[in-house]
Amino acid sequence: MSEFWLISAPGDKENLQALERMNTVTSKSNLSYNTKFMIPDFKVGTLDSLVGLSDELGKLDAFAESLIRRMAQSVVEVMEDAKGMAQENLLANGVDLTSFVTHFEWDMAKYPAKQPLVSVVDTVAKQLAQIETDLKSRMASYNTLKTNLENLERKSMGNLFTRTLSDIVSKEDFVLDSEYLITLLVIVPKQSYTQWQKTYESLSDMVVPRSTKLIAEDNEGGLFTVTLFRKVIDDFKTKAKENKFTVREYYYDEKEIKREREEMSRLLSDKKQQYGPLLRWLKVNFSEAFIAWIHIKALRVFVESVLRYGLPVNFQAVLLQPKKSSTKRLREVLNSVFRHLDQVAAASILDVGVRGDPWAAAQQPGLLSLRLLPHRPQSP
């Protein structure tokens, strides 16, 4: 999304002419694309109440920005392999974010301007709070499922010393239900395969001849079976270790293998079932949160303009989309065109400098100016 500056100047003849001069200069010099930012007339109430709303809106602004960033990041995380297409899913009212901002219209149905300003702010705040609550719940459920699945998948990764063997071995590889005999699994380094074949029968008494079989390999070695009498297990393990053969502790349990496979199948199915509804919810509610955020910006411009320029309400808001590498020159133009507002600024009821959040004050003399920085979801 592009960078935007949202400015407000008094609506008297002198300042409207100043806005026209600004538009002319910025257009001829190709510094920015400017459009009027229409804000309805709200029920103002008292100036004291506006001061309180100013603080509340500042906090709500930061909260909304944090929320949409988290939602955008959640879209990236949910889309995983298709995360490169995440930006295509981050829309507002079905259009890209830049188009929504440049064609912003106040939603009278959702946020009636005839209501007291406090009520409008409360409506937006409750909407965002509910979205955040739902986001936490849905992502916690999905991430728990994802973590459990990753833990199971991780078991089938790694080398023969650490990975699960359930997907490697079969019932036919073992002597089962024998009172006297047992089948062990031994990891043999690749360079020692010949040595193993020559020596495994003599590593201990009571090793069944020709009972070894290679059943799996990785980059480092192979997994061999060997069958022997139970009473020589310890002796065999000791001799195997002396020859750099590692007996892998494993006992074939058909029920456990079946349980693991069913669990993997269930988790994969659950993740697939959750994916679609979760992504749709994120897309819809990212749009709702972003729309609410821009409405908060409009509310901030209204409140701060009234506090700066006084009553009756009379100001004009303009949205500037700076061209690349033109922000310094654009700031100089604004300084020049609106320098006469210094005295107004000195007499302001409230300093509206908004520092440390995404709408940083552009610090024009006497001119209310807030800046919307671009947002790009980060890949994990």
Side-chain angles (χ1 to χ4, degrees):
M1 192 176 114
S2 303
E3 178 178 339
F4 291 96
W5 294 4
L6 186 56
I7 68 171
S8 166
D12 56 70
K13 182 177 180 181
E14 178 185 8
N15 285 291
L16 290 178
Q17 290 174 345
L19 285 171
E20 287 302 317
R21 289 198 303 276
M22 176 199 72
N23 287 332
T24 300
V25 173
T26 57
S27 176
K28 285 184 176 180
S29 302
N30 197 32
L31 297 177
S32 63
Y33 173 73
N34 308 337
T35 54
K36 286 186 177 181
F37 192 82
M38 304 308 296
I39 302 174
D41 290 330
F42 295 102
K43 293 183 178 180
V44 175
T46 65
L47 292 178
D48 283 345
S49 68
L50 289 184
V51 173
L53 274 180
S54 175
D55 292 338
E56 184 177 345
L57 282 168
K59 296 175 183 176
L60 189 57
D61 190 346
F63 171 72
E65 189 220 355
S66 170
L67 178 59
I68 65 170
R69 287 186 184 277
R70 280 180 283 155
M71 297 190 76
Q73 194 60 38
S74 294
V75 170
V76 172
E77 292 170 3
V78 170
M79 294 190 73
E80 295 182 1
D81 294 339
K83 62 189 177 187
M85 300 175 62
Q87 198 71 40
E88 299 174 15
N89 291 277
L90 301 178
L91 306 176
N93 251 4
V95 300
D96 64 87
L97 306 186
T98 295
S99 296
F100 178 82
V101 174
T102 54
H103 296 86
F104 172 77
E105 292 182 5
W106 186 270
D107 190 335
M108 291 292 186
K110 191 177 292 184
Y111 312 112
K114 293 182 179 180
Q115 290 186 355
L117 205 51
V118 174
S119 298
V120 177
V121 174
D122 186 56
T123 298
V124 180
K126 287 180 178 177
Q127 178 193 8
L128 291 175
Q130 185 60 55
I131 290 175
E132 185 196 38
T133 299
D134 292 346
L135 174 67
K136 287 180 177 178
S137 174
R138 290 171 183 268
M139 287 306 296
S141 175
Y142 185 78
N143 285 333
T144 297
L145 176 61
K146 184 178 175 182
T147 298
N148 291 340
L149 183 57
E150 287 173 348
N151 288 339
L152 270 183
E153 290 174 338
R154 197 175 292 117
K155 287 182 179 180
S156 62
M157 300 169 66
N159 58 35
L160 293 171
F161 291 92
T162 58
R163 61 159 295 161
T164 182
L165 302 178
S166 299
D167 58 337
I168 292 177
V169 300
S170 64
K171 185 176 182 180
E172 290 70 29
D173 296 324
F174 296 85
V175 173
L176 300 173
D177 304 321
S178 171
E179 183 179 352
Y180 301 103
L181 296 175
I182 187 172
T183 299
L184 300 182
L185 298 179
V186 182
I187 301 171
V188 180
K190 280 194 172 181
Q191 67 271 20
S192 302
Y193 281 9
T194 301
Q195 181 190 353
W196 167 257
Q197 292 287 357
K198 289 180 178 179
T199 62
Y200 80 91
E201 293 180 8
S202 60
L203 289 178
S204 178
D205 295 334
M206 300 184 176
V207 175
V208 177
R210 295 184 298 280
S211 63
T212 193
K213 179 176 67 172
L214 177 65
I215 59 174
E217 284 185 292
D218 62 16
N219 293 332
E220 299 171 7
L223 187 68
F224 288 81
T225 60
V226 60
T227 302
L228 45 89
F229 278 76
R230 291 180 180 273
K231 64 183 187 178
V232 299
I233 290 177
D234 291 339
D235 182 52
F236 183 87
K237 287 181 178 180
T238 301
K239 295 292 178 54
K241 185 175 181 182
E242 291 174 358
N243 286 270
K244 295 183 170 47
F245 306 140
T246 304
V247 176
R248 170 78 190 265
E249 296 293 340
Y250 183 83
Y251 297 96
Y252 185 84
D253 186 334
E254 199 164 16
K255 290 183 179 179
E256 179 63 18
I257 291 174
K258 182 181 178 182
R259 188 197 65 78
E260 278 190 23
R261 289 173 179 169
E262 289 177 348
E263 178 70 2
M264 175 69 80
S265 178
R266 182 187 68 80
L267 290 173
L268 284 169
S269 175
D270 288 351
K271 184 182 178 185
K272 186 176 181 180
Q273 288 177 5
Q274 284 194 26
Y275 175 84
L278 177 58
L279 184 58
R280 285 193 294 274
W281 183 91
L282 285 169
K283 289 166 62 175
V284 169
N285 285 275
F286 174 86
S287 173
E288 290 296 309
F290 187 87
I291 291 169
W293 189 37
I294 303 305
H295 279 75
I296 292 169
K297 301 301 184 184
L299 287 167
R300 292 194 73 186
V301 172
F302 181 88
V303 170
E304 305 297 355
S305 296
V306 174
L307 289 173
R308 175 162 292 229
Y309 305 135
L311 294 171
V313 177
N314 185 23
F315 68 90
Q316 177 62 60
V318 178
L319 185 72
L320 284 69
Q321 186 176 356
K323 303 292 184 178
K324 288 184 178 180
S325 306
S326 67
T327 54
K328 182 179 179 181
R329 173 62 181 144
L330 180 59
R331 187 172 284 110
E332 290 172 353
V333 169
L334 294 179
N335 276 329
S336 174
V337 173
F338 294 101
R339 192 170 299 280
H340 64 280
L341 287 177
D342 272 342
Q343 291 181 350
V344 176
S348 291
I349 297 170
L350 178 69
D351 178 5
V352 297
V354 184
R355 298 175 180 84
D357 67 16
W359 285 59
Q363 300 180 37
Q364 315 306 334
L367 181 71
L368 174 62
S369 178
L370 302 175
R371 185 173 54 171
L372 173 58
L373 298 181
H375 166 72
R376 294 181 181 86
Q378 301 296 312
S379 298

